[in-house]
Amino acid sequence: MKNLIHILLFVLTANFSFSQITKTEKIFSNVIHDSIKLSIYLPENWNENKKYPVIYDFEMLSITDMNSKIFSDNILVYSKYLRLIPQTILVSIDLKNGDELGYSYQSATINEKGEKFLSAINENVFPFIESNYNATSGFRGYFGHSYGASFGNYLFLNKPSFFNSYILIAPEQLDESNPQFEINRGLINFYNNRYTTYYVAGGGKDMERRQNYVRGISQEIKKLGTDKFNFESKIFSNANHLTIIPKSIPDALEKTFELFYSFKNIDFESIENSIEYFNKINSKLNDNFEISIEKNNSNSVFFMQLAVAKQDSSALEFFANYFLSENSRGLDYYNFAYSFNTINAKKKAIDYFQKAIQRAKRDETEKHSSQNAIDIYQSYRSIALNVYDDNPTMALMSLNEAYEDIHDIRLKYFMGKIGIQNNMKLKESVEYLKDYIDDGNNNDLWGYVSDDAYYQLGKGYKLFNKKEKSKKAFQKSLEYNPENESARKALNEL
């Protein structure tokens, strides 16, 4: 599965990385009397009315300057396309030469210059990003590779209030004893009361000292084994110091944002009340990260299915009000409409199918997409065939109105079939089927095949006692599908 995800990441990032918004900012800090340059990677639909998790890295601390790009592309894929994590901001802090941090890898300490620079990050950069880009202070992450990962450990041990999420890939250790990684009583007390995620990974083909450093961290960090501390350590057997980056980041993102999607790994039978369960998860995310359940398709479908499983139309409408917005597509409304119909909430189903049609029409005027036509057609079709499945009069009326609106020839197939099956408007029904067959387009699309159209036409001719035409229609049906036993039986009865 991970190999498939890696392939998917390669394909998607190669084609869709342009979907992100990249901005460059320079902010002046009175603490260091100098400017700090920031490269900011925003979700493509970033808006000022939503709070976003944010992850920081220091570009100069990595062996390759592509780390930020690789990481931002993975965030894009996992948030927009796989929908496993919330939309997230990445901020890369550009170090001019690396000396700003004043960090010693031998002693794992920083000098006065480094202390001032970190104060500038805390007093100037964090507030700037949070006020100008709606990053939440409740989820502030750190990503680092190699020296950047070792510096992340320094922050974890000495500046615990800076970040509450760490992704540290192949941390560097110059020898078997430096830098040290030790958890003291003060850190235990701090992390026992603050939700934190810590992910560290090494490569099985990397230097032995680096692998041992990861293993040593894993042992020491067990002191923080509480419900508030979410930890994972991995050695990727086939990865070296560089290939560990693309191999580990997908796994790291899933672990880091586990709380954002793990609520879906539950048996519906264990949930008593759908809305109460939603509110419980939402409160947990707000309490820990100051953000809410992500309004994406994956979460929407989960709660939609939950409401259907509980046959709870009130919960379904509650979820529709939460997840649907001005940015929702016709398909999003269609899915809720279909769900309402599944639990026999017919009026609500019609309402949401009609909303799906209007939304798809609106979107089509703004930008052409074949999906809009599909959403419109499917919504009209569903009203007639699913909502009015036990009312052929209303089904025919609905199909007629739909055809007047969109002139889709496939609708005539259903109009003819319903009329023939229910002995209604037989003359018109035969003409509808002939129009559908004569059109010659789409006859074998969407599962509406020509053999059934000819079979229904044969039944219509039979009702008018036109045996020769009926016979030819049944024969034509069998030409398209020799296994159509209904057509064969009807032909034999003539």
Side-chain angles (χ1 to χ4, degrees), residues 176-392:
E176 294 297 328
S177 58
N178 291 305
Q180 294 288 326
F181 187 91
E182 295 179 353
I183 304 292
N184 58 37
R185 175 54 59 183
L187 289 172
I188 293 174
N189 292 335
F190 180 86
Y191 287 116
N192 278 352
N193 292 287
R194 184 188 191 189
Y195 189 89
T196 305
T197 64
Y198 182 104
Y199 180 95
V200 62
K205 296 186 181 298
D206 203 347
M207 295 289 189
E208 190 66 26
R209 71 174 189 270
R210 293 169 182 155
Q211 295 183 52
N212 289 335
Y213 189 30
V214 171
R215 295 185 183 101
I217 291 171
S218 302
Q219 288 299 314
E220 181 69 10
I221 216 161
K222 288 179 180 178
K223 294 178 181 178
L224 301 175
T226 72
D227 292 338
K228 290 281 187 178
F229 194 78
N230 189 8
F231 167 75
E232 185 157 322
S233 169
K234 283 192 175 181
I235 299 291
F236 288 78
S237 59
N238 293 321
N240 60 34
H241 200 58
L242 292 180
T243 59
I244 183 66
I245 302 169
K247 287 179 180 291
S248 63
I249 288 176
D251 189 62
L253 288 174
E254 288 188 31
K255 185 63 178 178
T256 298
F257 289 101
E258 187 174 33
L259 199 61
F260 289 83
Y261 69 86
S262 60
F263 63 84
K264 292 181 280 193
N265 302 327
I266 189 171
D267 189 338
F268 287 163
E269 292 184 3
S270 65
I271 301 174
E272 292 186 8
N273 185 286
S274 303
I275 296 177
E276 287 181 4
Y277 182 70
F278 174 93
N279 288 334
K280 176 183 175 183
I281 300 302
N282 216 26
S283 294
K284 189 173 183 179
L285 290 174
N286 272 292
D287 291 344
N288 287 306
F289 306 122
E290 298 177 7
I291 55 179
S292 303
I293 292 174
E294 184 82 354
K295 295 180 180 181
N296 61 31
N297 184 65
S298 177
N299 291 338
S300 174
V301 169
F302 170 80
F303 285 105
M304 202 184 304
Q305 291 174 329
L306 175 60
V308 169
K310 298 298 181 182
Q311 296 287 296
D312 190 342
S313 60
S314 296
L316 192 56
E317 186 159 20
F318 176 88
F319 298 141
N321 290 334
Y322 180 83
F323 286 105
L324 296 175
S325 68
E326 273 299 301
N327 294 323
S328 297
R329 305 162 299 163
L331 181 60
D332 300 319
Y333 281 90
Y334 175 87
N335 288 336
F336 272 100
Y338 189 90
S339 298
F340 275 115
N341 192 61
T342 300
I343 58 176
N344 211 34
K346 302 284 188 180
K347 289 184 178 180
K348 283 292 179 184
I350 294 172
D351 182 33
Y352 277 84
F353 279 131
Q354 289 174 341
K355 288 179 179 178
I357 293 167
Q358 296 307 313
R359 182 54 54 92
K361 286 182 176 180
R362 183 204 70 176
D363 292 346
E364 184 64 17
T365 61
E366 297 175 0
K367 183 180 179 180
H368 172 68
S369 169
S370 59
Q371 184 63 49
N372 293 326
I374 293 171
D375 295 341
I376 294 168
Y377 168 74
Q378 289 286 74
S379 295
Y380 272 132
R381 173 188 175 279
S382 295
I383 291 173
L385 303 185
N386 299 119
V387 177
Y388 294 132
D389 56 338
D390 58 352
N391 190 334

Side-chain angles (χ1 to χ4, degrees), residues 27-31 36 119-129:
I27 60 172
F28 184 81
S29 170
N30 288 321
V31 179
I36 301 174
S119 293
I121 298 296
N122 191 39
E123 296 174 24
N124 302 124
V125 174
F126 292 160
F128 176 82
I129 294 297

Side-chain angles (χ1 to χ4, degrees), residues 25-39 56-61 91-103 110-127 142 151 154-155 159 162-163:
E25 297 272 13
K26 268 191 175 183
I27 60 172
F28 184 81
S29 170
N30 288 321
V31 179
I32 59 173
H33 305 291
D34 200 355
S35 295
I36 301 174
K37 182 181 176 183
L38 308 173
S39 295
Y56 293 83
D57 81 335
F58 292 98
E59 187 63 48
M60 272 288 292
L61 292 184
V91 178
S92 186
I93 301 172
D94 187 21
L95 302 177
K96 296 176 181 177
N97 52 35
D99 293 341
E100 297 98 317
L101 295 178
Y103 179 66
I110 61 173
N111 58 25
E112 183 179 354
K113 183 178 182 180
E115 285 287 357
K116 285 187 176 181
F117 190 79
L118 288 182
S119 293
I121 298 296
N122 191 39
E123 296 174 24
N124 302 124
V125 174
F126 292 160
Y142 177 92
F151 187 69
Y154 172 82
L155 296 170
K159 305 289 183 182
F162 273 37
F163 301 99

Side-chain angles (χ1 to χ4, degrees), residues 408-474:
D408 192 310
I409 194 65
R410 292 169 294 180
L411 295 170
K412 285 199 171 185
Y413 162 76
F414 291 109
M415 292 159 66
K417 182 174 182 176
I418 291 173
I420 298 297
Q421 287 180 333
N422 294 278
N423 205 21
M424 299 169 59
K425 298 185 177 180
L426 295 179
K427 185 177 179 180
E428 292 94 329
S429 297
V430 168
E431 292 303 315
Y432 293 149
L433 290 167
K434 287 170 62 180
D435 289 346
Y436 173 76
I437 291 169
D438 292 343
D439 182 82
N441 293 319
N442 300 319
N443 284 344
D444 295 311
L445 295 178
W446 308 97
Y448 317 138
V449 292
S450 297
D451 73 293
D452 188 62
Y454 277 108
Y455 171 63
Q456 299 298 335
L457 181 60
K459 288 169 62 179
Y461 282 137
K462 185 177 179 181
L463 291 171
F464 284 110
N465 202 30
K466 296 181 179 181
K467 291 186 178 181
E468 280 304 312
K469 288 187 175 183
S470 180
K471 180 179 179 180
K472 288 181 180 179
F474 291 141

